[in-house]
Amino acid sequence: RLAGALDRAAPLAAGAAPLEEAAESLGTTGYVVHTVPLAAFVFARWGDEPLTALRAAIRAGGDTDTTAAIVGAWAGARHGESALPADLVARLHDGPFGPRHLRALAGSLARGEPPPRFSTVAAAARNLALYPVILGHGFRRLATTFQVC
């Protein structure tokens, strides 16, 4: 299903389909079969302009944080950190997998070295702290979907 969705994303991007049409066709739910093809569409259309691509990922609606994170990661990998808005990068929390770790990871990959080490304790603490946020967001979406609230 993912391969089929990616196959639908490519001609939409090549044909310069409007964002709304692509979002409707590919989906915006956050499910991998929707999110990755939508991110691929956005990146294929606007990947040479990272901020424009990020804005498009957000305008598409749905699970915007996931789609924009994927598009931002691809833009950073393609163009380097300097192509991303410095004020946005500066606001990223520098936890176990924050900007400092990502810079070290990029450097080690470029040099063909093993990836940098990270603290499993700090990563576990971060994950535990994020669980209530993620669960709350998920339950809010469910409540909105089923109009329980």
Side-chain angles (χ1 to χ4, degrees), residues 70-131:
I70 293 169
V71 170
W74 290 343
R78 182 174 183 187
H79 302 290
E81 180 182 343
S82 63
L84 299 172
D87 62 317
L88 293 180
V89 174
R91 286 192 272 172
L92 294 174
H93 175 68
D94 202 15
F97 304 109
R100 189 172 354 151
H101 177 78
L102 294 175
R103 288 180 192 109
L105 177 60
S108 66
L109 290 173
R111 293 183 300 273
E113 298 172 352
R117 297 174 47 90
F118 62 91
S119 167
T120 55
V121 173
R126 179 200 77 151
N127 291 347
L128 285 173
L130 287 176
Y131 278 132

Side-chain angles (χ1 to χ4, degrees), residues 6-148:
L6 286 166
D7 288 344
R8 285 195 322 276
L12 287 168
L19 177 62
E20 296 77 16
E21 179 184 331
E24 174 84 20
S25 173
L26 300 170
T28 61
T29 65
Y31 178 46
V32 68
V33 174
H34 299 148
T35 303
V36 173
L38 181 61
F41 164 81
V42 168
F43 189 71
R45 282 286 310 275
W46 298 288
D48 288 335
E49 302 172 36
L51 189 55
T52 300
L54 289 168
R55 287 180 175 144
I58 294 165
R59 278 196 332 272
D63 191 10
T64 59
D65 56 333
T66 302
T67 306
I70 293 169
V71 170
W74 290 343
R78 182 174 183 187
H79 302 290
E81 180 182 343
S82 63
L84 299 172
D87 62 317
L88 293 180
V89 174
R91 286 192 272 172
L92 294 174
H93 175 68
D94 202 15
F97 304 109
R100 189 172 354 151
H101 177 78
L102 294 175
R103 288 180 192 109
L105 177 60
S108 66
L109 290 173
R111 293 183 300 273
E113 298 172 352
R117 297 174 47 90
F118 62 91
S119 167
T120 55
V121 173
R126 179 200 77 151
N127 291 347
L128 285 173
L130 287 176
Y131 278 132
V133 174
I134 293 167
L135 289 173
H137 179 69
F139 285 128
R140 185 182 61 82
R141 287 184 70 179
L142 280 173
T144 302
T145 300
F146 295 111
Q147 298 179 351
V148 173

